[in-house]
Amino acid sequence: MHAAAGDPGWRWASAMLAWLGGVALQLQQPSLWPAGANLACATGGLLGVVLVALWQHRASHALLCVALAMAAFGSTAWRAEQRLAAQLSGALEGRNLLVTGSVDRMPQLSSDGVRFVFAVESASTDGRAVALPKLLALSWSHTADDGSLAAPQVDLRAGQRWQLPLRLRRPHAAMNPHGFDGELWLFEQGFGATGIVRNTVAGPQPRLLGEGAWRPIERARQAVRDALLLRVRDTRAAGVLAALAVGDQAAIARDDWNLFRDAGVAHLMSISGVHITMFAWLAGGLIGWAWRRSSRACLWWPAPQAGRAGGLLVAALYALLAGFGVPAQRTLLMLAAAVLLRAAGTHWPWPLVLAAAAVVVTAVDPWALLQAGFWLSFAAVGLLMASDPLQTGASPAALPARLRTALRTQVIATLGLAPLSLAFFQQVSLVGFAANLVAIPWVTLVVTPLALTGMIVPWLWQPAAAAVAGLVWLLQVITTWPAAVWTVPAAPTWAAIAGTAAALLGLLPLPWRLRLLAVPLAMPLLLPAVAHPPPGHFELVVPDVGQGTAALVRTHSHLLLYDTGPGYARDADAGQRIIVPLLRARGERRIDLLMLSHRDSDHVGGAASVRAAVPVAHWSTSLAPEHPLLAGVASHRRCVAGHRWQWDGVAFEVLHPDAADYAVATKSNALSCVLRVSDAAGRSALLSGDIEARQEAALLARAGSTLQSMLMLVPHHGSKTSSSAAFVDAVQPQVALVQAGYRSRFGHPAPEIELRYRAHGIALVRSDRCGAWTWRDGAAQCSRDARRRYWHWTQRPLGAPEVSPGTAEQASR
């Protein structure tokens, strides 16, 4: 059936675009409609589709498109409503729970413990049964809750049944401009809560109830992963092989991911959507070639169809081996839709085939539309379909022809995926083309087959590890080339669309005059405009880093970074996860001054990552000279009160500590660098670190009324040891900002401190509720307000009373 037979292709295309448009429109909702309205919309849309199918009229197609959009919008919203209703009740956050269930998937090892998915069977608190979400995302630390006692090391395996003492919270993640939407990821994965296994001496202990649930695939994946990590001594190679064999991306270290990303080969180093697509393409080509060798087989089933079906089957097996996560599922659905359409004899052009596959994927997982992997997978498949390698008659024996085809495909993939890479990640590897010319055949034809065959013949993992080591060495050399990675500021959506259109114009077989239009279309994405404050003004950005401190002060041509946030684990910190991506998205090429207020890890935990990723011109800290962070720093100045300077008409002054404080201070908090920033219009900000009441009194005696500031970072995250009444009176801020983790175990901000600020008529902004806070020329914005969608955390859960952060934890201690 041709697209033009019966219904023209534009009718199919418009109908599918109507569905996708309905899904996309619903995903923009900041909040859901009232209960019942979504189901009514979906039902009305489906009834409309049926009625239009029965009513033949020239206007029927337009009505069909409207009905499809209604059905897509309503069904997506109704499913979202069900997921939100199943999330953890706010009344159970922070409570001590005893939960029985099973380990649903292969646990992922980390430097400080293990992360796993837990399928709930039953739960109770204080002997009373409670209802919990079906799936929980849990972590089990190697240390006790108080950080002092080592927790028992357990051999946690998929399928085991456990009774675990847990402490849970509703899905909540950091919210920053252009940052990763962790709450969307949790929502799409179906996790109704996150939490920890409590490691305490007193109270219920974790108890293994048996092997229980039947998880043969997950248990097999874990057995392979564990055997591989045990046999291969090279930890880097072992991590890559585990990722390629069973999809355990957590086995690859952070530094290695950075290397692969800079080299443009990150998509090859795990079983991702792009990887499954390429594996299906390769398997389909080989099966089709082998099928053509038998005339009997070709008479029974045409070789192209056999190749596509075989490629799909191999992709399905590979996706199962990868754990059949959401990215693997949507990739498989996409490939299945394309194969079935071809098998049905629909000779649709490849854009129409892709649109049909997108409809299938979004019908199963509508939130996939917001994931970078969705667009990268579809782009990769579209580019491969455009080059149509399975339709050529060349055999593998025609090596020159195959090499030309492979080279052409790599050129198309590199150019075609570059706009998406810039749009989603603000960077593209300029050495990626050269790296992929080697890495794609090497990983696909050598490393991956050896990794998979090693499941049967384990000694093959040794040559596989050697192959990985050789590739890593080559990538390290390539990424040292000048300008190996090109980074750009985050561009608006319209610029990303224009850049993608430019790539298509450049790749399609069009006259060169038309192709030249790609140049102006690409410019807004390649060179997006960056707005800096005018001279005499400054911008303050307080990112959401959790329980820690970080702030950016931007003038017309200078940038100051005050603290770098906490370290989250041995291999993760706020610098790598939040600060560096934020700087790149803002187009910041260097840091003129990095000020580290004091040595506590929640203030300097991300400094090493920032230093490794972004050039730092000067440092100012209260750190001891022998501190590891200062090793190799050429330009460092100790924080001392009285230090003043000006940038672009904006004044900066260090108010604390005094030079004499370094000799007498017994606590690191007492040496916190306090910085005041003021502009030509009299607007000012006070960055106060972790000073406590004693240092506040010293500041009052030394600075007095000059402390008054429009904005203030609340001292010590709102601890009750700081923010004395006299200090608050002296500063008199219009806005006070608290940087604290969601449901902080320290109880920050302390309720009495929060009340003190509010009693003074001061607007108190909390990062756990606001996300990142941006202030410029008197206008302020919370990231949670700017990016608000219905799956995001809200202060008061549906149908449940709010519990003050820290209350339950304090009561349990």
Side-chain angles (χ1 to χ4, degrees), residues 350-393:
W350 63 266
L352 209 57
V353 174
L354 281 184
V359 168
V360 173
V361 171
T362 54
V364 176
D365 176 20
W367 301 280
L369 268 180
L370 299 175
Q371 301 291 357
F374 172 89
W375 297 100
L376 290 171
S377 296
F378 268 84
V381 172
L383 292 168
L384 290 174
M385 291 174 71
S387 61
D388 207 15
L390 295 184
Q391 299 304 312
T392 62

Side-chain angles (χ1 to χ4, degrees), residues 264-290:
V265 301
H267 62 286
L268 295 174
M269 297 304 167
S270 65
I271 309 178
S272 63
V274 174
H275 205 99
I276 291 173
T277 300
M278 296 188 65
F279 205 72
W281 171 72
L282 178 63
L286 291 174
I287 292 171
W289 171 79

Side-chain angles (χ1 to χ4, degrees), residues 19 77 102 192 261 275 322 384-385 406 416 442 477 499 593 619 666 683 751 768:
W19 171 275
S102 59
R261 192 176 298 112
H275 205 99
L384 290 174
M385 291 174 71
W442 191 250
V477 172
L593 178 63
W619 293 58
T666 57
R683 291 171 292 212
D768 59 338

Side-chain angles (χ1 to χ4, degrees), residues 558-561 590-596 615-621 630 633-637 643 647:
H558 293 82
L559 174 68
L560 180 145
L561 175 60
R590 77 170 204 163
I591 298 169
D592 295 284
L593 178 63
L594 174 58
M595 179 173 285
L596 301 179
V616 178
H618 305 284
W619 293 58
S620 179
T621 77
L630 298 181
V633 173
S635 178
H636 173 258
R637 177 170 184 153
H643 179 212
W647 283 342

Side-chain angles (χ1 to χ4, degrees), residues 43 278 380 445 591 674:
T43 304
M278 296 188 65
L445 302 177
I591 298 169
V674 178

Side-chain angles (χ1 to χ4, degrees), residues 4-244:
D7 276 333
W10 70 266
R11 291 182 178 272
W12 287 103
S14 57
M16 289 185 286
L17 288 176
W19 171 275
L20 295 173
V23 173
L25 183 62
Q26 195 282 327
L27 296 180
Q28 303 306 309
Q29 281 192 292
S31 60
L32 295 177
W33 288 345
N38 299 314
L39 185 58
C41 181
T43 304
L46 292 175
L47 287 175
V49 171
V50 174
L51 291 175
V52 169
L54 299 175
W55 180 49
Q56 298 298 323
H57 190 273
R58 66 177 59 184
S60 60
H61 183 73
L63 295 176
L64 174 65
C65 290
V66 173
L68 284 171
M70 286 180 58
F73 185 101
S75 61
T76 302
W78 179 79
R79 290 168 62 187
E81 186 180 301
Q82 307 308 305
R83 290 198 181 195
L84 288 176
Q87 287 185 349
L88 181 73
S89 166
L92 294 177
E93 283 191 294
R95 300 287 297 274
N96 294 331
L97 302 169
L98 194 60
V99 184
T100 300
S102 59
V103 180
D104 191 65
R105 303 168 196 171
M106 176 179 71
Q108 291 190 324
L109 306 176
S110 65
S111 59
D112 57 350
V114 61
R115 299 188 301 272
F116 62 102
V117 178
F118 200 60
V120 175
E121 298 173 10
S122 61
S124 64
T125 179
D126 298 328
R128 175 175 56 90
V130 294
L132 293 184
K134 293 180 180 179
L135 286 181
L136 308 176
L138 301 179
S139 61
W140 195 339
S141 175
H142 290 326
T143 58
D145 284 356
D146 60 5
S148 59
L149 298 175
Q153 302 297 304
V154 296
D155 184 21
L156 198 66
R157 309 194 72 78
Q160 290 177 335
R161 293 185 69 246
W162 284 84
Q163 186 179 69
L164 298 174
L166 302 179
R167 187 170 287 169
L168 303 178
R169 67 181 194 178
R170 295 166 56 213
H172 186 285
M175 184 66 64
N176 291 284
H178 314 294
F180 176 70
D181 192 342
E183 291 171 24
L184 171 61
W185 183 85
L186 291 168
F187 183 82
E188 185 188 18
Q189 296 288 326
F191 297 132
T194 62
I196 60 169
V197 179
R198 299 187 64 232
N199 295 325
T200 57
V201 176
Q205 300 297 306
R207 186 159 62 97
L208 177 63
L209 302 178
E211 297 303 321
W214 193 55
R215 300 283 195 280
I217 294 176
E218 291 299 316
R219 294 178 73 88
R221 292 178 66 225
Q222 186 170 358
V224 170
R225 192 270 309 273
D226 294 348
L228 200 155
L229 295 179
L230 183 64
R231 284 178 174 268
V232 179
R233 294 184 179 181
D234 183 345
T235 56
R236 166 179 280 167
V240 172
L241 294 178
L244 291 173

Side-chain angles (χ1 to χ4, degrees), residues 565 597-605 623 627 668-669 690 716:
S597 63
H598 61 299
R599 68 170 184 259
D600 287 3
S601 63
D602 58 331
H603 292 252
V604 302
L623 305 180
H627 195 285
S668 60
N669 287 352
D690 276 358
H716 202 182

